[in-house]
Amino acid sequence: MNPLCSRCDKIVYPTEKVNCLDKFWHKGCFSCEVCKMTLNMKNYKGFDKRPYCSQHYPKTSFTSVADTPENLRLMQQSKVQSQVLYKEDFEKNKGKGFSVVADTPEMQRVKKTQDQISNIKYHEDFEKTRMGGEGPPPESNANKAYEPASPQSYNYEPQPTRSVAAPPPPSGGKRYKAVYDYVAADEDEVSFADGDVILDVQQIDEGWMFGRVERTGLQGMLPANYVEPM
């Protein structure tokens, strides 16, 4: 039996079903609770099992706690316990001459790079000392067979660069005007402010367009209900 859509309470067939937030939706019904912008599995943000866009995602705030005598007593007790633990750790590590550092992958990478630099420096200093203390080495088969390791042999593997998807070609000069501020939530999106002019706009689907912001010169994906035609 096909389930019902959480938005319109109509039957959802497999070809148009979106299963998200422990519920079922039509693709067109899976939209922001505030602005009704059509969402997908890539750009939605869930809150209380309801979908939101990045612009209207509910912001949580901290609540203040009254300074009652009981809360003040607990705060003072926690402070005393922290000081006791700090003194115990200090006494345990006193005289060791080092501090405990977490052996994270980043620390291992830095350590490996430092070892490589130290190794290269050692070979350079060794060659300078050998050439300065002895004179030019005689031309012999033994000397020709020995070649010191070149610093270039210590290769450092660079981090892979992130590829950026190529933008689609301009669509013929359609102009739109932004009616809300929008902050890009992904690499292929573009940010703009209320009142910005969007050039070369191309319709991607029901909820998204592609265009270039005239003020910044940047181009990318943008929500269709944040702009209006000029």
Side-chain angles (χ1 to χ4, degrees):
M1 180 177 180
N2 295 317
L4 298 180
C5 176
S6 296
R7 180 76 68 190
C8 65
D9 292 329
K10 295 181 181 180
I11 296 177
V12 182
Y13 296 100
T15 56
E16 56 182 357
K17 181 171 66 175
V18 176
N19 186 1
C20 187
L21 300 174
D22 298 333
K23 298 178 181 180
F24 296 93
W25 318 75
H26 292 102
K27 291 182 179 179
C29 293
F30 189 62
S31 59
C32 175
E33 291 288 317
V34 178
C35 64
K36 307 305 178 184
M37 180 182 74
T38 303
L39 303 173
N40 53 47
M41 301 301 293
K42 182 179 179 182
N43 62 2
Y44 87 96
K45 291 181 178 294
F47 181 82
D48 197 19
K49 294 189 177 182
R50 290 289 179 179
Y52 294 87
C53 66
S54 58
Q55 188 71 20
H56 296 109
Y57 182 73
K59 304 296 189 299
T60 57
S61 58
F62 296 100
T63 58
S64 59
V65 179
D67 290 334
T68 61
E70 180 64 18
N71 288 333
L72 292 174
R73 186 187 66 80
L74 293 175
M75 187 190 315
Q76 183 67 22
Q77 184 178 355
S78 299
K79 185 176 180 181
V80 171
Q81 290 177 350
S82 299
Q83 292 176 351
V84 171
L85 291 175
Y86 171 77
K87 290 181 179 179
E88 289 179 355
D89 291 339
F90 177 78
E91 291 297 327
K92 289 179 181 179
N93 296 321
K94 184 171 63 175
K96 292 184 179 180
F98 64 91
S99 58
V100 180
V101 180
D103 192 14
T104 61
E106 180 65 18
M107 292 299 298
Q108 292 178 358
R109 185 186 66 79
V110 172
K111 183 179 179 181
K112 182 179 179 182
T113 304
Q114 291 176 345
D115 291 342
Q116 291 175 350
I117 295 173
S118 299
N119 209 347
I120 293 172
K121 183 65 175 177
Y122 168 77
H123 281 279
E124 290 179 352
D125 293 342
F126 174 77
E127 289 299 317
K128 290 179 181 179
T129 303
R130 189 173 69 85
M131 296 300 294
E134 301 178 1
E139 292 293 332
S140 64
N141 292 333
N143 290 330
K144 289 181 180 179
Y146 170 74
E147 293 182 359
S150 172
Q152 284 77 10
S153 63
Y154 300 92
N155 294 327
Y156 172 71
E157 298 181 359
Q159 297 293 332
T161 57
R162 301 176 68 181
S163 59
V164 179
S171 62
K174 293 183 180 181
R175 297 165 61 91
Y176 281 71
K177 181 180 179 182
V179 294
Y180 302 104
D181 294 341
Y182 182 74
V183 179
D186 209 336
E187 293 180 354
D188 56 356
E189 299 180 10
V190 65
S191 301
F192 51 83
D194 184 9
D196 280 348
V197 177
I198 315 298
L199 305 176
D200 302 329
V201 176
Q202 179 180 359
Q203 187 76 31
I204 302 300
D205 55 28
E206 182 179 354
W208 290 90
M209 296 179 170
F210 183 91
R212 175 170 55 87
V213 182
E214 184 179 38
R215 177 174 57 84
T216 62
L218 301 177
Q219 59 184 2
M221 302 280 290
L222 61 140
N225 59 343
Y226 277 59
V227 297
E228 61 181 13
M230 296 181 62

